[in-house]
Amino acid sequence: MYDSLEFIIACGGYSTRNYPHSKTGAHKSLMPFGDVRFIDFVLKDIIKSGGRHITIVCSNQHVVDVFKKALSRDEATELKLRRSGRTMIADVLQSTFLPADVDLKFVIQDKPLGTAHVLGLAHRVSPDRHGVLIFPDDIIVSKNAERPFIRKMAENFFQNDHQILLTGRRQADVSNNAIIDNGRLVEKPKTPVSDVAGYSPIILPKAVMDFIEDQTTMLEKGESLPNKVVGSEWVYVDGINAFLDQHPAGPSYTLKMFMLSGEEELLDTGTLPLYELAQLYALLNLSVFKEKNRAYVQTLLNQNS
């Protein structure tokens, strides 16, 4: 459905904020989330939305190999489960299989140069598409599973593909997020002017992706970049702001928050306690065994009341 979109999943880093759960894993997106893993949940939403072009950006070849194995179809095990009568588990396993028409690519970011650098690397292998940046620890659960939030966001984008769209959510504390201030992004604001916090998915028009790819080449050559703080990573906020400041004359590009509605719930899983809360949510609300899980939790609560 959305052939002109490249869905870019950032899977670099060491996931230390989720230790010890993530300590022995290749990446936190492979940690359990209910019956499946974070990466399965994210990929399923992309596929349900009509996305077929996906790039996963990893930190090294070992991580790439782990992802390839984790996402490979295991039809022999599925069949074995069905023959033994474990149909529900077989259905869950089958739900993690990617359709044959999915164009799945892997890119290595061997130095931690930031999330804008991630975008530039991904655009090199898919230069003709708009980009959708996804952090797999931003989990959005939609009441209508067949129409995920990312699909609604894409539909809005294609009404005007000169929008730069961030996922927006109103919250009391925005000090760990990006906000829009006077038409530009401010990351981790000390004196916020807005209560709308930015999350992923983030949709960037092809022109922005082209610009960031050019800047990525400059960064790799050791040249200084606009809006980049010396000594820090070049993050997507810097890349977007630099584009808005410098893009060639022509149709204007606007920066917007596409707001979560009452139909969606965002689960920020970026730290250990947040992850454990998200896992509880998934086990009690998304699992095929949720009724049994709820009954067990109720039993535990009764025992300790």
Side-chain angles (χ1 to χ4, degrees):
M1 181 177 179
Y2 294 125
D3 191 60
S4 61
L5 292 180
E6 187 73 31
F7 294 84
I8 302 161
I9 308 175
C11 292
Y14 296 101
S15 312
T16 53
R17 293 194 302 162
N18 291 107
Y19 273 19
H21 288 299
S22 60
K23 188 174 182 181
T24 58
H27 190 264
K28 60 188 172 186
S29 63
L30 292 169
M31 292 195 305
F33 180 62
D35 300 329
V36 293
R37 301 158 298 191
F38 285 129
I39 192 67
D40 301 313
F41 188 88
V42 170
L43 290 170
K44 189 182 298 185
D45 270 3
I46 292 171
I47 291 162
K48 284 182 179 178
S49 300
R52 287 298 183 270
H53 302 283
I54 302 168
T55 299
I56 298 178
V57 183
C58 304
S59 56
N60 55 58
Q61 187 60 49
H62 168 69
V63 177
V64 171
D65 293 341
V66 171
F67 268 104
K68 287 182 176 179
K69 183 176 181 180
L71 296 175
S72 64
R73 299 174 70 92
D74 189 355
E75 292 165 335
T77 299
E78 180 203 354
L79 180 59
K80 184 177 180 180
L81 288 167
R82 294 195 188 282
R83 285 176 173 172
S84 64
R86 290 175 285 179
T87 305
M88 293 177 72
I89 299 176
D91 289 344
V92 171
L93 176 59
Q94 186 184 48
S95 75
T96 67
F97 296 169
L98 298 179
D101 62 345
V102 168
D103 169 31
L104 181 63
K105 299 176 287 296
F106 292 90
V107 171
I108 294 175
Q109 183 192 39
D110 55 5
K111 295 180 181 178
L113 296 179
T115 51
H117 184 243
V118 165
L119 290 169
L121 293 176
H123 197 55
R124 283 179 182 168
V125 301
S126 186
D128 299 322
R129 297 187 177 90
H130 309 293
V132 185
L133 176 61
I134 298 173
F135 301 125
D137 52 6
D138 290 344
I139 296 294
I140 299 175
V141 181
S142 300
K143 290 181 181 178
N144 183 355
E146 297 308 312
R147 193 167 182 262
F149 176 79
I150 197 169
R151 177 171 180 171
K152 294 166 60 176
M153 195 176 192
E155 289 170 353
N156 181 276
F157 172 75
F158 282 113
Q159 294 177 19
N160 173 13
D161 64 7
H162 282 199
Q163 301 176 88
I164 301 168
L165 293 180
L166 283 78
T167 298
R169 181 177 74 168
R170 294 192 183 279
Q171 56 191 54
D173 182 6
V174 298
S175 60
N176 287 316
N177 300 86
I179 65 168
I180 297 178
D181 184 351
N182 196 28
R184 297 294 182 270
L185 286 171
V186 177
E187 188 175 30
K188 297 182 179 180
K190 294 181 179 179
T191 55
V193 299
S194 171
D195 64 348
V196 178
Y199 290 89
S200 73
I202 302 166
I203 303 184
L204 302 102
K206 180 181 177 299
V208 182
M209 297 296 293
D210 290 340
F211 175 85
I212 289 177
E213 183 189 356
D214 290 341
Q215 300 291 301
T216 292
T217 300
M218 293 174 57
L219 176 68
E220 292 171 343
K221 291 180 179 179
E223 300 178 26
S224 61
L225 299 182
N227 297 84
K228 179 179 180 295
V229 179
V230 176
S232 69
E233 296 180 355
W234 186 47
V235 298
Y236 74 90
V237 167
D238 302 329
I240 290 172
N241 286 340
F243 171 82
L244 291 171
D245 290 341
Q246 299 188 19
H247 79 277
S252 61
Y253 287 80
T254 56
L255 179 63
K256 296 181 180 180
M257 292 286 186
F258 187 72
M259 300 297 294
L260 292 163
S261 72
E263 296 182 350
E264 296 96 23
E265 182 161 1
L266 187 145
L267 306 176
D268 183 353
T269 66
T271 65
L272 177 61
L274 289 174
Y275 165 69
E276 292 190 348
L277 289 175
Q279 177 68 323
L280 282 172
Y281 179 97
L283 290 170
L284 297 176
N285 294 287
L286 305 177
S287 170
V288 297
F289 306 106
K290 62 185 178 183
E291 299 302 331
K292 290 183 178 180
N293 293 341
R294 289 175 181 176
Y296 179 64
V297 168
Q298 190 60 56
T299 299
L300 293 178
L301 292 173
N302 292 340
Q303 289 175 353
N304 292 288
S305 62

